[in-house]
Amino acid sequence: SESGTYHLELLPSLDELAQVYIEAQDFEAAAQMLDHQLQIHRINSGLYAAAQIPIVEAMLRLHARADDWSSINDSLDNLAWL
């Protein structure tokens, strides 16, 4: 993006990419897109921004589909931290 790697305008595109990867069952790539969304929110809105909650919830669903229980625990810890 012309506005930079962490610009809020990237969020809708990253969300769409995550959904495409989820549908293709490429869970690792989907997690990367969701993680980038989290980083954008943290940089622009702060570490405790409530806007992160839906993304962390999406990460939980993604990790559940991938049967990645360790990552589910990490996401639950992140959610509790928010």
Side-chain angles (χ1 to χ4, degrees):
S1 171
E2 195 172 300
S3 300
T5 304
Y6 298 106
H7 197 276
L8 291 170
E9 290 177 359
L10 291 174
L11 291 171
S13 297
L14 289 169
D15 188 51
E16 288 177 26
L17 279 172
Q19 295 309 313
V20 168
Y21 286 129
I22 290 168
E23 289 173 15
Q25 296 187 356
D26 187 345
F27 301 127
E28 184 177 334
Q32 290 174 353
M33 297 301 105
L34 292 171
D35 188 56
H36 192 71
Q37 290 179 62
L38 287 174
Q39 294 303 319
I40 289 172
H41 279 297
R42 289 176 183 147
I43 288 167
N44 288 283
S45 305
L47 291 175
Y48 303 105
Q52 297 176 66
I53 293 172
I55 300 167
V56 174
E57 290 172 340
M59 294 278 280
L60 283 166
R61 289 189 297 275
L62 173 69
H63 296 315
R65 284 186 69 177
D67 290 326
D68 185 352
W69 299 107
S70 174
S71 293
I72 287 173
N73 285 333
D74 292 343
S75 291
L76 284 171
D77 288 343
N78 191 1
L79 191 58
W81 183 63
L82 292 172

